[in-house]
Amino acid sequence: MSTKNLYSKEAKEKIKKMAESIDYAMMATDLNNQPFHAVPMSTKEVDDDGNIWFLSNKNSTHNQHIEKENKTQLIYADKGNFEFLSIYGRAHISTDRNRIKELYGSGDDAWFDGEDDPNITAIKVVPEDAHYWDTKNGKVLSLLKMAQGAITGNEPDLGVQGDLKV
C-alpha cells in the first residue's frame, strides 16, 4: 500500500468524499476514560471547511461527554470497498434551529419528533488529525491481490493510505 498524504483542499475533499459515502461512523467520546463511549452516528454533511455534522439528542450520553470534554474520535469503515477513515477532532454542540433544519431529513423521524423537536442538537466535529486507507480496486480485486501476494511472497499494491491535514 502506497502512502499519499493530502493537505488543505485535497484533504477536505477526501474527508467529504469518504465520510459522506460511508455515512455511518462510530463516534467515540469521553476519550480520557476507559472504556470510552462509542455510538454509531449518521453523517449529515461535511461542509466546505471539512467539518463533519451530525444530529443528536441533547440528553444523549455523548452530548453530555462533549459538554465536559469535546475531544472526539470518528471511525468510518466500508468493509465492502476496503475504505477506512479515522478522524480525531473537537466536537461542538449547536442548537441553531436553522442549521438543524438544513441537516434534518425524513429518516431522522425515527429518532426525533420532526425537525422542530426541542431535543435535537447539531454536532459539528472539527478535524484536527485524520488518516485514511483507500483501495484502488475494491474488495474482490484486493482480496485476489492479497492471495497472490501470499503465494508469491511479494507485497501487493492494494491502494493508498495517508494523513489528511486540513
Side-chain angles (χ1 to χ4, degrees), residues 108-137:
D108 297 315
D109 288 341
W111 303 103
F112 303 105
D113 292 329
E115 64 185 24
D116 294 317
D117 185 328
N119 291 318
I120 300 176
T121 63
I123 296 175
K124 175 175 78 170
V125 176
V126 179
E128 293 182 4
D129 187 65
H131 195 86
Y132 74 100
W133 298 263
D134 191 1
T135 60
K136 294 178 183 178
N137 310 303

Side-chain angles (χ1 to χ4, degrees), residues 144-156:
L144 290 172
K145 285 185 171 195
M146 284 190 283
Q148 180 184 21
I151 293 167
T152 64
N154 297 327
E155 184 177 333

Side-chain angles (χ1 to χ4, degrees), residues 12 15 19 25-29 31 41-56 62-63 66 70-76 86-94 99 103 122-130 166:
K12 291 173 189 176
I15 288 172
M26 290 301 294
M27 176 187 281
T29 57
L31 300 181
M41 298 287 286
S42 176
T43 303
K44 303 310 287 182
E45 177 185 282
V46 180
D47 66 26
D48 292 338
D49 293 323
N51 301 314
I52 303 150
W53 290 85
F54 304 90
L55 291 178
S56 181
H62 48 281
N63 273 46
I66 291 167
N70 69 351
K71 292 187 277 186
T72 304
Q73 185 80 39
L74 301 174
I75 307 291
Y76 288 89
S86 174
I87 298 171
Y88 170 82
R90 301 290 176 159
H92 306 277
I93 298 170
S94 171
R99 186 66 181 130
L103 297 171
I123 296 175
K124 175 175 78 170
V125 176
V126 179
E128 293 182 4
D129 187 65
V166 188

Side-chain angles (χ1 to χ4, degrees), residues 13-42:
E13 289 171 355
K14 187 67 165 179
I15 288 172
K16 182 174 182 67
K17 178 182 176 252
M18 291 185 79
E20 289 182 347
S21 71
I22 296 172
D23 185 10
Y24 280 90
M26 290 301 294
M27 176 187 281
T29 57
D30 198 23
L31 300 181
N32 291 328
N33 294 306
Q34 267 94 52
F36 53 78
H37 181 260
V39 294
M41 298 287 286
S42 176

